[in-house]
Amino acid sequence: MSKKIRIKDIAEMAQVSVGTVDRVIHNRGEVAEDSYRKIMAILEKTGYKPNLLARTLGSNKTFRIAALMPNPAQDEYWEQSAEGVKQAQDEWTQYGVEIHPYHFDLYNKESFASQAQTLLETPPDAVLTAPIFHQEALNFFRTCREQNIPFVVVNNTIEEGGSLSFIGHDLNQSGRLGAELLHLSNPQPGTYAILHVYDDVHNSLHLNEKEKGFKEYFAEQNGGGFKVISRDLNHTHEPSLEKELNDLLGDASLRGILVTTSKGAFIVSRLIEKKGKNGVRFVAYDLLKENLHYLENGIIDFLINQNSKRQAFIAISQLANHLLFKKDALPTYLFPLEIISRQNLKSYLNTGH
Amino acid sequence: MSKKIRIKDIAEMAQVSVGTVDRVIHNRGEVAEDSYRKIMAILEKTGYKPNLLARTLGSNKTFRIAALMPNPAQDEYWEQSAEGVKQAQDEWTQYGVEIHPYHFDLYNKESFASQAQTLLETPPDAVLTAPIFHQEALNFFRTCREQNIPFVVVNNTIEEGGSLSFIGHDLNQSGRLGAELLHLSNPQPGTYAILHVYDDVHNSLHLNEKEKGFKEYFAEQNGGGFKVISRDLNHTHEPSLEKELNDLLGDASLRGILVTTSKGAFIVSRLIEKKGKNGVRFVAYDLLKENLHYLENGIIDFLINQNSKRQAFIAISQLANHLLFKKDALPTYLFPLEIISRQNLKSYLNTGH
DNA sequence: CTGAAAGCGCTAACAC
DNA sequence: GTGTTAGCGCTTTCAG
C-alpha cells in the first residue's frame, strides 16, 4: 500500500517541479510531451491520490449551484426534496459550495421558464433541476449547454440529454415491482389495475413507463388469468372521478390497485376507507404523511419509496464533487426501489442520518 | 450571514496573536484571564466556526483505526463487511486515517480474544468490532474503556455499552418484518415457523430478538388462528437436521418459514428445491450469492437485506469523523430494513454507488 | 503568558 | 515550457 504520496514526491521522481506536475494533473496543457508522459506514468504507477483537503483549501474558490425545483409548499414530495437540498448545503458549505434554490410553480410552465431565466442572470457554476415541463426543460438545457453550465436532473429523464447525470429510478422496474407486490400478496387470477390521477397539468411520459412495467409483469406470469386495466383520471372532475373509482372498486374480480400519483393515492385511500377494506391489495408511492397514515391503518398495503430527499441530496453531491474534485458523475444513478410495509416503516423514518 | 471569519480576524479584533486565540479555542490554558475573556466574547459574538479542512490539514496527524472482524474467507456475509471496510479505507486514507484489519475465526472465541490482545499492543486511536462472542467482547471493551480508546460496534449490540455507537438493525423489528412478509403473502390461518440453523458456536442473543419480534407479530394479528413454531437446529448433525426439516415441510398447515441464518437459508432452499415449491412462503436474510439464486428462481420469496458492507463503511466513517472532526456519532445508527424481491433486486445490485 | 514563524499539500500567478 | 513562490486557515514549536 503506497503511503501518502504527494505532488512534491511525484515531482522529485520525475525530476520536474510541482508546478509541472500540477499542470498535467489538471490537464492544463503547456507541458512538454516528454515530461507529460513521464509524469503520467509515475502518477499511474504510484496510484497518486490528491489530498482533497489541501486541494480545496489551496484553490480558494467558491462555487455556486442553482437548484431549480418545484415550490416545496405545493407538495409534500417536493418539500422532502427541498430538505435534501438543505442537507446537501450543510454538508458542502464548508468546502466553499453555495447552493441557491429557485422555486417554480408545479402547475405552471411559464413559472419554470421565468425562474430558469432569472437563474441564468447570475450564471451559476452548475445546475440541478427536475425537468417536469418537457419543452421548457429542453429550452433551459439548451442554454445551459451553450453557456457550458453542467447540470444534473432528478425525478425524470428527458430523452435529449446533455445532462451530467440523471438521479432517480428505473421507472419500468418500478411498475413491475408494484405489480409484483400486488400479485404476491393476492395471487389468484383476476383483475389488477394501475391508476394515474392527474392535476390539469401533468407529464405523462413519466407514468407511462411505470404502466409498461406493470403490464409486462403480468404478461410474463405463466398460468395467466390476469387482466390488467389502466385508467387516466383527472381529479379536477370530482364527480366523474368518484364514479369511475366506485365502479372499479365494485368489481368483484379486482385483486389489486397500484396508484402512481400522490393525489391519487389520497383519493383512493379515502374511498377505500369509506367502503371498508376488503381483500383488494393497494400499493402506492412515497412516504408522505397521508400515505403513512393509510399504511399504518391497513388501507395501503405497501408503499414504494422514491426518496425525493435523497435524490436531491445525491444530485447536489454529484455536482459538488464534479466542481470541486473533478470527479465525474455516473451518467445515470438509479436508486434502489424501496418497499415499505407496516413493519419496516419505522426503520425508514426517524433517520437522523 | 457572517462571512467566513478566521482566527486571524478574531486575533485582530482582540488585539492579540493567532497563537493566543488558538490556545483559548482549544482550552490549552496558558492564557491570561484577561485575554481569555475578551477572546471568548468575540468568539461568541461572531459565531466563529473553524475551517475543518484547514484544521485537519494543519495538524498533520494520522490516526489508526483497528477493525476486529470475522475472517472474511469464512463467510460471504463477512466478506461483504470487509469490502465495506476497504471502501472506507479508500475514502479516508487521504485524510490521514489508517485502517488496520484484524480477523478472527468466526467459530472460535479464543481467536477473538487473542486478536484483540495483539491489536492492543500497538494501541489504535479507535476500534471497530462485531462483538460476536459475548464474554470476550465484554473483556475487550473493558480494556478499551480503560485505555480510553473509543469503539463502535456493528452487527449486534452488547447490553453493557460504553461504545461510541452501535450500527445495525432493530432486530426485534426485523423479526416482525419477516413475519409480516410471510403473513401478507399467505394470510390464511395456519403455521408459521422461524428457524435458526447454527454452527457449533453461535450467539443466540442476536437471534432471540428476531424470534421475539416474529412471535409478537402473529400474537398481535387479530382473528388469530396462527400457530408459531421455532426451531434451533445444529447443521453439523446432518441426518437429524434433514429429518426435522422434512417433517416441518411436510406439515400441511405450514404457511411460511423465516430462516435467520445464512447456512440455514441455503439448506432449506435446497430442500425446498428438491421437494418442489408449494404454496409455502419462504423468507431469508441477506444478498448472498446462493440466496440470490434461490430468490431468482422463486424458491425464496423475499430477502431482508442487512447490508453488512454498509454497516462497516458507516462504522468506520463515524470513527473517522469523530477523530478528525470531533463530530460525535449517534449512539445508535439503525439501518432501514430493506425488503428484496425478484422485482427490485436488480436495483439493489450493480450499484457502483 | 504571548507572538512569530514554519509547516500541512495543493493551487495559481508570475517570472524566466 | 518550466520553476518559484505566495497564499488558503489552522496547528504547533520555540523564543522571549
Side-chain angles (χ1 to χ4, degrees):
Chain A
M1 304 295 105
S2 50
K3 290 268 119 179
K4 340 211 69 195
I5 161 151
R6 294 120 65 246
I7 283 197
K8 201 179 164 191
D9 301 321
I10 306 276
E12 275 167 18
M13 294 168 135
Q15 320 230 62
V16 296
S17 75
V18 295
T20 310
V21 176
D22 192 65
R23 259 164 239 137
V24 354
I25 287 177
H26 294 295
N27 269 315
R28 271 203 258 290
E30 321 249 307
V31 172
E33 186 62 24
D34 211 34
S35 335
Y36 182 83
R37 276 193 218 299
K38 204 159 161 190
I39 294 173
M40 269 315 236
I42 302 186
L43 247 25
E44 289 286 328
K45 198 174 54 195
T46 57
Y48 167 77
K49 297 251 184 153
N51 180 327
L52 300 186
L53 298 189
R55 171 114 107 207
T56 65
L57 187 61
S59 83
N60 195 24
K61 278 206 197 74
T62 136
F63 292 103
R64 288 171 36 89
I65 296 179
L68 177 56
M69 303 290 276
N71 183 348
Q74 289 180 293
D75 188 297
E76 198 187 340
Y77 182 80
W78 294 111
E79 186 185 332
Q80 296 180 355
S81 181
E83 273 168 38
V85 172
K86 201 175 300 166
Q87 192 178 306
Q89 197 161 21
D90 290 347
E91 175 116 359
W92 289 101
T93 40
Q94 54 165 322
Y95 298 93
V97 176
E98 291 171 8
I99 299 171
H100 300 262
Y102 293 78
H103 296 314
F104 61 86
D105 183 333
L106 191 46
Y107 307 117
N108 180 351
K109 306 173 190 240
E110 283 73 36
S111 109
F112 180 96
S114 78
Q115 285 295 81
Q117 195 62 45
T118 71
L119 170 172
L120 287 165
E121 278 161 22
T122 19
D125 298 291
V127 162
L128 156 66
T129 192
I132 303 276
F133 301 111
H134 192 74
Q135 189 52 53
E136 287 72 13
L138 247 34
N139 293 340
F140 179 44
F141 292 162
R142 188 160 25 73
T143 347
C144 285
R145 257 178 275 122
E146 285 167 10
Q147 303 197 205
N148 247 311
I149 302 173
F151 58 96
V152 309
V153 308
V154 294
N155 196 62
N156 56 293
T157 28
I158 284 245
E159 67 286 12
E160 186 190 341
S163 80
L164 208 60
S165 177
F166 161 65
I167 287 114
H169 288 95
D170 178 333
L171 299 179
N172 180 287
Q173 197 62 53
S174 177
R176 283 170 172 272
L177 177 60
E180 182 191 46
L181 290 172
L182 295 175
H183 177 224
L184 278 183
S185 65
N186 210 357
Q188 305 93 329
T191 304
Y192 292 84
I194 179 167
L195 263 58
H196 317 291
V197 181
Y198 303 114
D199 277 272
D200 280 334
V201 180
H202 65 269
N203 59 329
S204 48
L205 290 168
H206 189 198
L207 304 177
N208 276 348
E209 271 304 303
K210 287 184 181 169
E211 183 170 327
K212 243 166 62 187
F214 188 83
K215 289 179 170 163
E216 282 170 18
Y217 176 89
F218 283 108
E220 287 165 12
Q221 291 321 108
N222 42 23
F226 301 113
K227 186 177 156 204
V228 175
I229 59 179
S230 68
R231 292 277 181 282
D232 281 63
L233 307 170
N234 184 323
H235 91 118
T236 54
H237 289 211
E238 280 282 359
S240 70
L241 171 69
E242 184 131 350
K243 181 180 174 318
E244 186 120 27
L245 286 177
N246 269 317
D247 287 356
L248 185 71
L249 290 172
D251 180 350
S253 77
L254 186 68
R255 297 285 168 268
I257 313 177
L258 175 67
V259 180
T260 57
T261 57
S262 54
K263 286 271 173 10
F266 302 161
I267 293 171
V268 174
S269 293
R270 287 181 213 127
L271 210 64
I272 294 183
E273 188 167 44
K274 207 159 63 183
K275 299 174 77 92
K277 169 110 176 172
N278 49 12
V280 176
R281 298 298 184 180
F282 177 22
V283 173
Y285 280 90
D286 297 318
L287 302 186
L288 311 177
K289 283 192 203 76
E290 199 161 345
N291 280 348
L292 296 186
H293 168 72
Y294 287 117
L295 178 68
E296 268 159 3
N297 75 10
I299 301 289
I300 293 175
D301 294 290
F302 291 103
L303 288 170
I304 298 173
N305 184 21
Q306 307 190 105
N307 215 338
S308 57
K309 179 174 172 187
R310 195 164 159 73
Q311 282 190 34
F313 178 81
I314 295 286
I316 298 274
S317 298
Q318 299 249 338
L319 247 19
N321 273 309
H322 175 78
L323 294 173
L324 251 47
F325 307 134
K326 313 270 181 255
K327 283 188 194 162
D328 33 27
L330 308 96
T332 103
Y333 188 121
L334 294 181
F335 274 35
L337 290 158
E338 298 174 337
I339 303 171
I340 313 296
S341 73
R342 278 179 277 293
Q343 293 302 324
N344 74 349
L345 173 58
K346 263 174 280 166
S347 77
Y348 277 91
L349 265 29
N350 62 327
T351 60
H353 35 276
Chain B
M1 304 291 105
S2 50
K3 286 273 122 183
K4 334 218 87 189
I5 162 151
R6 292 120 68 243
I7 283 197
K8 201 180 165 193
D9 301 322
I10 307 276
E12 275 168 16
M13 292 167 137
Q15 321 231 60
V16 295
S17 75
V18 296
T20 311
V21 175
D22 192 67
R23 260 163 240 135
V24 354
I25 287 177
H26 289 87
N27 268 315
R28 271 203 259 291
E30 322 248 305
V31 172
E33 185 63 25
D34 212 33
S35 333
Y36 182 83
R37 275 194 219 297
K38 205 159 161 191
I39 294 172
M40 270 315 237
I42 302 186
L43 248 25
E44 289 286 327
K45 196 175 55 196
T46 56
Y48 167 78
K49 297 254 185 154
N51 179 328
L52 298 187
L53 297 190
R55 170 114 100 206
T56 66
L57 185 62
S59 84
N60 194 23
K61 280 205 196 73
T62 134
F63 293 102
R64 285 172 38 89
I65 296 179
L68 177 56
M69 304 289 277
N71 183 347
Q74 291 181 291
D75 189 297
E76 197 187 339
Y77 182 80
W78 294 110
E79 187 186 331
Q80 295 180 357
S81 181
E83 273 168 38
V85 172
K86 201 175 299 166
Q87 192 178 308
Q89 196 161 19
D90 290 348
E91 175 115 0
W92 289 102
T93 40
Q94 50 167 315
Y95 300 94
V97 176
E98 291 170 7
I99 299 172
H100 299 262
Y102 294 78
H103 296 314
F104 61 87
D105 183 334
L106 191 46
Y107 307 118
N108 179 352
K109 306 174 190 239
E110 283 73 36
S111 110
F112 180 96
S114 79
Q115 284 296 79
Q117 195 62 46
T118 71
L119 170 172
L120 287 165
E121 277 161 22
T122 19
D125 299 290
V127 162
L128 157 65
T129 192
I132 304 273
F133 302 111
H134 191 73
Q135 189 53 52
E136 287 71 15
L138 246 35
N139 293 341
F140 179 44
F141 292 163
R142 189 160 24 75
T143 347
C144 286
R145 257 178 275 121
E146 283 166 12
Q147 303 196 204
N148 248 312
I149 301 173
F151 59 95
V152 309
V153 309
V154 294
N155 196 61
N156 57 292
T157 28
I158 285 247
E159 68 287 12
E160 186 190 340
S163 80
L164 209 61
S165 179
F166 161 65
I167 288 113
H169 287 97
D170 179 332
L171 298 178
N172 180 287
Q173 197 63 53
S174 178
R176 284 170 171 271
L177 176 59
E180 182 191 47
L181 289 172
L182 295 174
H183 177 225
L184 279 182
S185 65
N186 209 359
Q188 305 94 326
T191 304
Y192 293 84
I194 179 167
L195 261 57
H196 317 291
V197 181
Y198 303 114
D199 276 273
D200 281 334
V201 180
H202 64 267
N203 58 330
S204 49
L205 290 167
H206 188 197
L207 304 177
N208 276 348
E209 272 304 303
K210 286 183 181 170
E211 183 170 328
K212 244 166 64 186
F214 189 83
K215 290 179 170 163
E216 283 170 17
Y217 175 88
F218 283 108
E220 287 166 11
Q221 292 319 109
N222 42 24
F226 301 113
K227 185 177 155 205
V228 175
I229 61 180
S230 68
R231 292 278 181 281
D232 281 62
L233 306 171
N234 183 323
H235 91 119
T236 53
H237 289 211
E238 279 281 0
S240 69
L241 171 69
E242 185 130 349
K243 182 182 175 318
E244 186 122 26
L245 286 177
N246 269 318
D247 287 357
L248 186 71
L249 289 171
D251 181 349
S253 76
L254 185 68
R255 296 285 167 270
I257 313 178
L258 175 67
V259 180
T260 57
T261 58
S262 54
K263 287 271 174 4
F266 302 162
I267 293 172
V268 174
S269 293
R270 287 182 214 128
L271 209 66
I272 294 183
E273 188 168 43
K274 205 159 62 182
K275 299 173 76 92
K277 169 114 177 169
N278 50 12
V280 175
R281 297 298 185 179
F282 178 21
V283 174
Y285 280 91
D286 297 319
L287 302 186
L288 311 177
K289 283 192 203 75
E290 200 162 345
N291 281 349
L292 296 186
H293 168 72
Y294 288 117
L295 178 68
E296 268 159 3
N297 75 7
I299 301 289
I300 293 175
D301 294 290
F302 292 104
L303 288 170
I304 298 173
N305 183 20
Q306 306 189 107
N307 215 336
S308 58
K309 179 174 172 187
R310 198 166 157 71
Q311 282 190 36
F313 178 81
I314 295 286
I316 299 274
S317 297
Q318 299 249 339
L319 247 18
N321 272 310
H322 175 77
L323 294 173
L324 252 46
F325 304 132
K326 312 269 180 254
K327 283 188 194 162
D328 33 29
L330 308 95
T332 104
Y333 188 120
L334 293 181
F335 275 35
L337 290 159
E338 297 174 338
I339 303 170
I340 313 297
S341 73
R342 278 179 277 294
Q343 292 302 323
N344 75 348
L345 172 59
K346 263 174 282 168
S347 77
Y348 277 90
L349 265 28
N350 62 330
T351 59
H353 36 273

